[in-house]
Amino acid sequence: MQLTGAQALIKSLEQQGVEVIFGLPGGAILPVYDPLLDSSIRHILVRHEQGAGHMAEGYALATGRPGVAMVTSGPGATNIVTPIGNAHMDSTPLVVITGQVASGSIGTDAFQECDITGITMGITKHNFLVKSAQEIPRAVAAAFHLATTGRPGPVLIDVPKDVTQSMMDWWYPSTVEEYDLPGYHPEVPLDEDAIALAVALISEAERPVLYVGGGTLKSRASAELLAFAERTKMPVVTTLMARGAFPDSHNQHLGMPGMHGMYTAVTAIQKSDLLISLGARFDDRVTGKIPAFAAGAKVIHVDIDRAEFNKVRHADVAIQSNVAAALRAFDAASASPKSLDSWWKQIRAWQEQYPLVYEEASTEGLLRPQHVIEAIAAKAAPGTIVASGVGQHQMWASQFWKYEEPGTWINSGGAGTMGFGVPAAIGAKVGRPDRTVWCIDGDGCFQMTAQELVTARLEGIPIKVAILNNAYLGMVRQWQEMFYEERYSEVYLSADLPDYVKWAEAMGCVGLRATNLKEMHDVIEEANRINDVPVVIDFRTDSSEKVFPMVAAGASNDDIMVHPLQRGVSK
Amino acid sequence: MSATPEPFLGTTDHTPVRHHILSVLVENKAGVLARIAGLFARRGFNIYSLAVAPAESGARFSRVTIVVDAESAPLEQIVGQLDKLVNVVAISDLSPKDALERELLLATIQTNVDNRTSLLDIIASAGAAIVDVDARSVTVMLAATPGGCDELERALEAFADVELHRTGRVALPRLGKTASA
């Protein structure tokens, strides 16, 4: 069967089971958009290529399947660099297809030419410049294989226009050998010696903590984690990238560790004698000052990526494995710590003394952002998915929402990409149309990518957006207040401009506003009644509200600052 | 090529105390060298020398011999990150004591009647070969250990006008030794 390269590209995506592409056409990718008309694959036309990338990420994080985005060359390609970098930091499986100028024009500074494989070399798991139409099926199959196996990540396929326009004899690789990836071996056999060493360390532990990272979600190891944790009775912390990997309602769950983690989660790690890292990478936002991080703990480090071992923290035992397989091996060896009764007694005392708190607002005063999140959560359908941008609202959304299952918390962790929330929520809703999707956003983040609500309205993707509008770039404001003597530099945004209600309405969404407690409850109920169009709510929140607990950048986790309401109480 | 703090044509021994030789088999595809160089640059790993040539299996693979500064980053990190490059097929790590290292040096020296004899002495004692010669200049070649190349380079400093190129080393395990993967 003779096909054009463009037809082969679309057919290859169909072979991979792709159900949706987020994209925006342009000159160099034009040939591919023609056969798309005849394909079963849904295409969602974004308003900016960054939106396409974050939607694909949101889709991937909500479904566990790779997200697919397609854009044109030059600025189309550079506009999607931020989502690619974001996906790289968070190990999110993404396949990004970029058009490229015709092969003969590459290197001539042709119109809309840019070296996107060069630009993304350091922020993709791998990328391809496809040189002939005949090679398209192999590139697509290899891209999906790379994106989804081992440590997942973004893969970019750059396709010159003459390649998509030329003819090829249809074929599709049926085995991994045909992908032609002689240097790629994502799975290694479990090191039984390392497992035995880990089991021995576990058996000696008196104060163990299961430090659960995003790799636990990526390897779909939640069931194994629950079984292992319940059998061994060990306390669990879930990082920002792992929220939902272990139920927040579980009484062994201490919450999120790190810079804005729960006091007990942070302190239990600090005082632990054994840290079992499951798909986590000792990020600086978790460790604080590295030499002071869990200084008395031995470390068992489970990761599929061996380059994570000893990168930040020495691993007493390193186990290169996906998390699920390692946990099954621990269970098979009946790995069990000593009695944890006194450890739990200590943990419960910390929990009692330093729960997560905020100050109640007066009836007429500005809203407390934490309260808004709790109020939304209280009325949210079970299984609601929450996406967020980056900043204070993100931390509160992680702290005050209870995540019970994988894929319900979608955020930008490693890169900290403002503007991630709205498009990621859209992508999540596309992937899980059965679920309610709330975007908890900040006013600064919202203004970066809000135009995608036009996409959502036109494509029938009814997400709900809660803007915690404190009129500031709140996290930067918090740092300026705490560490720069309240010298506020370029952080004020205005609560009233833009008018978020009018803006929402102009984009075909329902726009609502709440300035006090009564309005807060009313608009949440109203938003919950609307299921056909996107809803945007402008919650007016108190700009002086800060995220606590907090470990200052570079400080030891021992110096965690609790909420002012809890200060003066002896530890 | 690298963020090497010292000039390549230094006057002393080029080899850092804690160097390691990575023999890296890569797919012979466009951009592979850029991927390796980019990785070293963005992770802050220093390269002391780098040699690339088609590998024994013909056109499909190339062998890249990289002398890395194991003080700029732990070797485990360098190897682990390098191994993640999809086009990297195999890495073997050779400790200098277990390695047979050789490097090629080519130098053209402007000579005159006064210094030609001393130049010929230097060439002879270094075991170098004269590969080209005319009335005013001599081109010599030396295939030797990096230290041997260093010695010849130092000896040639006595001459005013020298153009000298070195390839960077290639290496194999000594007989009876193996590289660690």
Side-chain angles (χ1 to χ4, degrees), chain A residues 29-328:
Chain A
I29 197 71
L30 250 173
V32 185
Y33 271 81
D34 185 74
L36 187 60
L37 284 174
D38 306 319
S39 172
S40 59
I41 298 174
R42 180 183 185 189
H43 182 273
I44 289 174
L45 175 61
V46 299
R47 293 314 187 256
H48 186 289
E49 290 89 347
Q50 184 187 358
H54 292 324
M55 285 179 205
E57 290 183 89
Y59 175 90
L61 291 168
T63 64
R65 297 194 294 273
V68 182
M70 183 160 73
V71 298
T72 196
S73 64
T78 55
N79 276 347
I80 205 163
V81 166
T82 295
I84 291 171
N86 191 81
H88 187 62
M89 288 295 267
D90 287 348
S91 305
T92 305
L94 221 56
V95 173
V96 176
I97 296 155
T98 49
Q100 181 55 278
V101 300
S103 308
S105 300
I106 291 176
T108 67
D109 305 315
F111 178 65
Q112 291 193 330
E113 181 187 355
C114 84
D115 172 21
I116 195 62
T117 49
I119 288 170
T120 59
M121 215 168 251
I123 53 168
T124 48
K125 185 168 173 182
H126 193 58
N127 60 26
F128 299 92
L129 172 63
V130 182
K131 298 213 168 129
S132 80
Q134 203 60 35
E135 282 301 306
I136 285 174
R138 194 195 317 277
V140 171
F144 277 84
H145 180 61
L146 289 168
T148 55
T149 54
R151 181 175 182 166
V155 179
L156 180 138
I157 308 173
D158 199 24
V159 199
K161 191 169 186 177
D162 59 310
V163 171
T164 50
Q165 286 173 320
S166 61
M167 301 304 292
M168 57 88 72
D169 291 312
W170 172 251
W171 72 291
Y172 203 73
S174 51
T175 63
V176 174
E177 284 67 42
E178 288 180 272
Y179 298 169
D180 191 25
L181 299 170
Y184 184 65
H185 309 286
E187 297 288 339
V188 296
L190 259 185
D191 179 348
E192 296 298 338
D193 293 343
I195 295 287
L197 284 172
V199 170
L201 281 187
I202 291 170
S203 70
E204 289 163 16
E206 294 174 355
R207 299 185 307 281
V209 173
L210 293 171
Y211 161 37
V212 176
T216 302
L217 288 173
K218 296 298 190 306
S219 67
R220 297 179 170 83
S222 290
E224 285 85 354
L225 173 63
L226 186 67
F228 180 66
E230 291 194 333
R231 187 178 61 74
T232 60
K233 304 281 185 286
M234 287 194 261
V236 176
V237 302
T238 53
T239 68
L240 185 67
M241 289 309 300
R243 307 287 290 120
F246 192 76
D248 271 342
S249 58
H250 198 288
N251 69 359
Q252 282 171 251
H253 198 173
L254 314 186
M256 179 174 77
M259 180 176 269
H260 293 296
M262 299 281 283
Y263 178 89
T264 304
V266 172
T267 306
I269 289 177
Q270 287 301 90
K271 305 293 184 199
S272 65
D273 65 353
L274 178 66
L275 206 51
I276 304 174
S277 171
L278 301 171
R281 59 182 177 83
F282 297 85
D283 181 82
D284 56 86
R285 285 312 194 250
V286 167
T287 61
K289 186 180 176 185
I290 291 160
F293 176 71
K298 291 219 160 78
V299 171
I300 298 170
H301 195 165
V302 178
D303 206 293
I304 193 71
D305 178 2
R306 70 160 163 152
E308 290 303 334
F309 301 139
N310 305 314
K311 184 183 81 176
V312 174
R313 171 66 183 251
H314 170 71
D316 296 279
V317 180
I319 299 169
Q320 190 182 4
S321 169
N322 73 66
V323 173
L327 288 176
R328 282 194 295 268

